[in-house]
Amino acid sequence: MIINIETGRCTSPVGALLGAIVINNAYIAINNLGNLLKASGRFQEAESCYMQALSIHPEFAAGYNNLGLVLRDQARLEDAAAAFLCALQHNPNLVPALNNLGLVYK
């Protein structure tokens, strides 16, 4: 739970992130919502969030890595590998993407 300092009310992490998205339309908040959805097993919704975040900020390497992870979790290995490669194109030093790419080909 998250406590809103202004209202003193508790809200869920999803609710807090949805509020941030409405206020800022920020790719980071959308990506983080994707992370929460992925952790909840809501893979298609998470994928949609990652795609939306990448449409806002196409150079967001960590977003491609997260997209690759959710695609891998859906056994879409070729798509996952492509996402990890995009992450590495935007940030060749993103070690998690390199590791995840290797795991796809394991």
Side-chain angles (χ1 to χ4, degrees):
M1 288 298 200
I2 297 172
I3 298 175
N4 183 314
I5 294 173
E6 293 177 11
T7 65
R9 292 183 178 184
C10 292
T11 185
S12 72
V14 171
L17 285 172
L18 286 172
I21 290 167
V22 169
I23 293 168
N24 299 318
N25 197 25
Y27 69 96
I28 295 289
I30 296 168
N31 179 75
N32 289 343
L33 178 58
N35 292 341
L36 285 172
L37 292 167
K38 180 183 176 296
S40 300
R42 296 164 65 181
F43 299 133
Q44 291 179 333
E45 292 170 275
E47 179 182 346
S48 178
C49 286
Y50 297 137
M51 294 298 291
Q52 184 178 0
L54 290 166
S55 74
I56 295 167
H57 186 44
E59 297 82 31
F60 182 41
Y64 285 105
N65 185 61
N66 290 336
L67 176 61
L69 290 171
V70 79
L71 292 169
R72 184 194 66 195
D73 288 349
Q74 296 176 79
R76 294 168 53 194
L77 300 182
E78 287 183 28
D79 293 335
F84 296 136
L85 286 170
C86 283
L88 291 166
Q89 286 176 342
H90 292 290
N91 181 354
N93 298 317
L94 188 62
V95 174
L98 185 59
N99 183 58
N100 291 328
L101 180 61
L103 291 173
V104 165
Y105 291 114
K106 180 179 174 184

